[in-house]
Amino acid sequence: MSFLSALRPALLAVALVPFAGAAIAADTPTATPFTLPALPYATDALDAAIDATTMEIHHGRHHKAYVDNLNGKVAEFPQLASLDIEQIQAQVSRFDTAVRNNAGGHYNHSLFWTVLAPSDAVGEPSAALAARIDTDFGSMQAMQQQVDDAGKKVFGSGWAWVIVKDDGSLAVTSTANQDNPLMDVADEKGTPILGLDVWEHAYYLRYQNKRPEYVSNFWKVVNWKEVSRRYDAAVSAR
Ligand code: MN3
């Protein structure tokens, strides 16, 4: 596969525009199809649960590193450039451990920022999501307890998730490292609608070893409008 054919069409279009293309030397591999999304709020906006310094480092350094490292794998695996980040998860076993870790890290954090919101703007679960939570867990409180338990029991680094399974039901699961339930290698697969990052980098500055306190405060900043939107999208896509 030639280098140019590996580029995403959008990038190719940019490269073919006169003048704009002049900045991209044809013989220089500069394909960086993955980009760090901006935070949808200020770094101090989640202070009810997460301090500004943690947000700055977590987004600006940790997430950025996953994006940079994933872009750094495109020369070795040119097909990455023609896949979106969800598609990569679904076939991650075709690639190496570095792609698995960094594509997972990019997907997971991109989801994480959107399912959080300032505590005065978190909204409520939609009627459809609330009903599904009651059906599958008995109550919101019971679902939160399962997520808390999943987050606390992750040994080392990982994530707790609420997923929509193929049959439309909700489940709580956890993954190690930067794995997620979209991955073809996941033990329990589904579409994540809420993710809780329990890596120490997500909470250590404020909470040190008190992961349960971080997990408890996490619920103050869960963006129910976005979780509900993701629930609707997952159910519609089935
Ligand atoms: Mn993280």
Side-chain angles (χ1 to χ4, degrees), residues 58 62-63 66 109 112-113 159 178 197 199 201-202:
H58 198 178
H62 290 276
H63 188 174
Y66 299 125
H109 289 85
F112 188 56
W113 311 131
W159 291 74
Q178 294 296 352
D197 187 344
W199 282 59
H201 68 223

Side-chain angles (χ1 to χ4, degrees), residues 150-151 153-154 159-161 172-176 188:
K153 83 175 185 199
V154 170
W159 291 74
W161 305 96
V172 170
T173 184
S174 63
T175 54
E188 186 168 17

